[in-house]
Amino acid sequence: MADATQTARFRFWLWLIAVIGVIVPQRLRADWRQEWEAELRSRETLLAEWDKLNWKTKLDLLRRSLGAFRDALLLQPRRWEDEMFQDLRYGARMLAKNPSFTLIAVVTLALGIGANTAIFSIVKSVLIRPLPFAQPDRLMQARYRPGPGNPPDDTLGWIARRDLVDWRARSRSFERIGGYWNASLILPTEGAPEFIRGASVTHDLLPMLGVQPALGRYFLPEEGKPGGERLIIVSDDLWRSRFGADPGIIGRTIRAIDGIYVVVGVMPPGFNFPLRLEREVIRFPSRQTGFWTLSLDDLRGESDRSSYNVILRLKPGVGAEQAQAELETLFAQRVQDNPQEHDRNFAVGVRLVALKDQTVGGAGAPLMILLGAVGLVVLVVCANIPTLLLARADARRKEMAIRQSLGASRFRLVRQALTESLLLAFTGGAAGALLAAWSLKLLLTLSPHYIPRLGESRIDAVALLFTSAVTVVAGLLFGVLPAW
């Protein structure tokens, strides 16, 4: 009975070696099994006396036996070299033998994947990526709710100066409140004057965004008095293109058609605000804001009738609904205290909108529809290419039968077919990435300037990862049926 137990125990270890050997590359499997079976037989005496061994000896035997599994794993690169690379080389030869089929499939895939990648890059830039400011989720924009004397659209953008001053003094929900309006700078040149798009801002607007100037400083609260110097902060693009990246630009003057401005700062590369262009400023060829001047109305009294696009930064822990309720209360109190200054037909309340939502505006739905439509193109591609692959697979029946008769398993044949389809997909994906880079530039050139943040669109690592995912999914979709 003891001999039978010892024999069964030894057979178990031989069986375990055989199971582990499945993952060893086939051409190395016989030598590997022979080596480890010889190792087991050299320890057969110890295994036969297992019950008499102390725990240290047992642990040592188990550790040595697990070495077979580690040894099998170390041989896996040989399997990849033997099988995967062989499949890839064979697949590449088969695709090269059918250049017409390969060219049609690659071009079709490149068009679908390239269009998807380009549109995804725009959607990511406009809709997904956070605003490039400090803690952008706390930035809000105030809008009036229209009265019966205005069209029933969602909100009215301009906030009266008297409300801006009142909110600054009495609100407890916001860290800062600032405003701006669109402006232009006309610089004289030897030829036609140069028009530059910019913004006139209150002193606290740019610090609210949390982006420090690369040179110089922000506007100071005591500046901006009527009759004082007209101050300007220029963008990095304007500083480089117009002033040759002169590090001594701070304190210099810029002579424009409407007067002389003193430069107090240069913003860092890529900084852009406002991000959303109004339709009336699309005559400017650049989406980049070129300058920011200090509003001379910033320190005027409440009776001033100027208006601003108002940006507000919530205090930590304050929600948008709580802040809006406070602004509604302040608005109602001011209307009650000064009824002669308020036109109820114009506005009946205030609404807070997240700055990102206000920036995107109505561009979100069309872009998502466009991305969905282009995604359907990829699905159509994935539906058409299998037809070509099936016709090609039918012509290769004899080849597959010969390979199977020579010992190839059905799994190996299916894997070979999937390898060829994935190789085809990755070739199309690589061509699609190149096409996406070119088509994105074309889309940016042809697209309306008032769509926000288009200038930030890039074929970056995220876009390439998206392309790779689409490529793999497409390769599996159109490769499974012919392979099966």
Side-chain angles (χ1 to χ4, degrees):
M1 185 67 179
D3 291 341
T5 303
Q6 295 169 6
T7 301
R9 185 179 293 133
F10 187 72
R11 285 179 177 173
F12 166 76
W13 289 101
L14 288 177
W15 173 82
L16 183 61
I17 291 296
V19 170
I20 296 174
V22 171
I23 67 173
V24 176
Q26 192 166 3
R27 70 183 180 88
L28 304 174
R29 191 173 302 166
D31 292 340
W32 181 88
R33 285 188 60 175
Q34 183 178 359
E35 179 183 347
W36 277 96
E37 285 178 5
E39 178 74 13
L40 277 178
R41 294 192 183 281
S42 69
R43 287 182 267 138
E44 186 174 359
T45 303
L46 287 175
L47 290 173
E49 298 176 355
W50 181 266
D51 296 332
K52 300 178 182 179
L53 301 177
N54 59 40
W55 64 272
K56 288 186 178 181
T57 307
K58 288 181 179 181
L59 286 178
D60 185 62
L61 281 173
L62 287 173
R63 180 180 61 80
R64 290 177 178 274
S65 299
L66 289 175
F69 183 70
R70 181 181 62 85
D71 193 27
L73 290 178
L74 292 176
L75 293 173
Q76 291 310 297
R78 303 275 188 92
R79 175 189 291 273
W80 282 63
E81 181 181 354
D82 291 350
E83 298 181 1
M84 189 190 74
F85 292 159
Q86 181 183 10
D87 288 347
L88 287 174
R89 287 193 295 268
Y90 184 79
R93 287 199 303 268
M94 295 307 297
L95 292 178
K97 281 185 176 181
N98 297 273
S100 300
F101 162 80
T102 304
L103 181 62
I104 292 173
V106 168
V107 170
T108 305
L109 280 169
L111 291 174
I113 294 175
N116 249 280
T117 303
I119 299 300
F120 171 78
S121 298
I122 293 176
V123 169
K124 178 174 66 70
S125 173
V126 176
L127 303 182
I128 301 175
R129 183 183 296 165
L131 297 180
F133 309 127
Q135 299 177 315
D137 56 311
R138 289 167 50 199
L139 292 173
M140 313 295 289
Q141 183 162 1
R143 318 281 285 178
Y144 283 139
R145 288 189 290 108
N150 281 282
D153 53 357
D154 190 24
T155 52
L156 300 170
W158 295 94
I159 299 295
R161 164 126 187 102
R162 55 180 177 267
D163 282 320
L164 172 59
V165 172
D166 185 52
W167 297 346
R168 276 178 174 168
R170 301 169 60 191
S171 171
R172 298 295 178 265
S173 299
F174 304 99
E175 287 184 350
R176 289 178 181 266
I177 301 176
Y180 74 93
W181 63 71
N182 295 310
S184 61
L185 194 67
I186 307 176
L187 301 180
T189 63
E190 295 180 358
E194 181 181 1
F195 288 79
I196 301 172
R197 180 178 70 83
S200 181
V201 302
T202 60
H203 70 275
D204 45 7
L205 180 70
L206 293 179
M208 183 194 310
L209 302 178
V211 181
Q212 292 295 323
L215 293 176
R217 59 172 175 83
Y218 289 129
F219 303 123
L220 301 178
E222 62 270 17
E223 295 172 330
K225 296 179 180 179
E229 287 185 319
R230 306 178 73 176
L231 306 180
I232 190 171
I233 296 175
V234 298
S235 70
D236 181 81
D237 284 350
L238 184 62
W239 175 56
R240 294 180 185 279
S241 62
R242 180 78 183 187
F243 303 103
D246 180 10
I249 192 175
I250 305 302
R252 283 182 51 185
T253 59
I254 297 177
R255 186 176 298 275
I257 297 296
D258 62 338
I260 297 176
Y261 294 84
V262 178
V263 179
V264 297
V266 178
M267 295 305 287
F271 177 80
N272 194 24
F273 186 87
L275 296 171
R276 180 181 178 182
L277 302 184
E278 303 299 334
R279 291 175 183 265
E280 61 265 22
V281 299
I282 63 173
R283 65 182 181 275
F284 297 104
S286 174
R287 294 185 175 92
Q288 181 74 30
T289 302
F291 70 92
W292 298 265
T293 58
L294 180 59
S295 169
L296 296 181
D297 293 330
D298 194 20
L299 300 180
R300 292 185 182 177
E302 294 185 26
S303 60
D304 181 65
R305 295 185 177 275
S306 60
S307 299
Y308 290 91
N309 287 297
V310 173
I311 308 298
L312 314 93
R313 178 176 285 279
L314 294 171
K315 288 183 177 179
V318 176
E321 294 182 359
Q322 176 186 343
Q324 179 172 329
E326 182 187 46
L327 291 187
E328 289 273 19
T329 301
L330 295 177
F331 178 81
Q333 290 176 355
R334 191 192 59 76
V335 171
Q336 184 177 359
D337 295 341
N338 303 277
Q340 71 282 358
E341 294 185 3
H342 180 67
D343 182 1
R344 293 185 179 275
N345 290 324
F346 176 74
V348 295
V350 180
R351 182 188 173 197
L352 276 182
V353 184
L355 182 58
K356 182 176 181 180
D357 294 340
Q358 183 58 37
T359 299
V360 172
L367 284 177
M368 293 305 296
I369 292 172
L370 182 59
L371 182 62
V374 176
L376 288 177
V377 172
V378 175
L379 290 179
V380 171
V381 169
C382 292
N384 288 333
I385 291 184
T387 305
L388 299 174
L389 287 173
L390 281 171
R392 183 165 168 265
D394 188 63
R396 296 175 63 186
R397 284 179 180 272
K398 184 177 179 180
E399 171 203 337
M400 295 301 177
I402 293 174
R403 292 186 64 188
Q404 195 167 10
S405 66
L406 293 175
S409 64
R410 295 180 64 86
F411 172 76
R412 181 66 184 274
L413 296 180
V414 169
R415 190 181 68 187
Q416 177 64 51
L418 280 176
T419 300
E420 291 181 21
S421 64
L422 286 173
L423 185 61
L424 188 66
F426 275 109
T427 304
L434 296 176
L435 180 63
W438 174 82
S439 59
L440 181 60
K441 294 180 181 179
L442 181 63
L443 286 171
L444 295 181
T445 302
L446 298 178
S447 60
H449 275 57
Y450 52 82
I451 296 179
R453 307 183 71 187
L454 278 179
E456 300 176 23
S457 302
R458 300 286 187 275
I459 304 296
D460 55 11
V462 176
L464 292 177
L465 184 62
F466 173 81
T467 302
S468 300
V470 172
T471 298
V472 171
V473 171
L476 292 176
L477 283 178
F478 65 69
V480 166
L481 182 59
W484 185 256

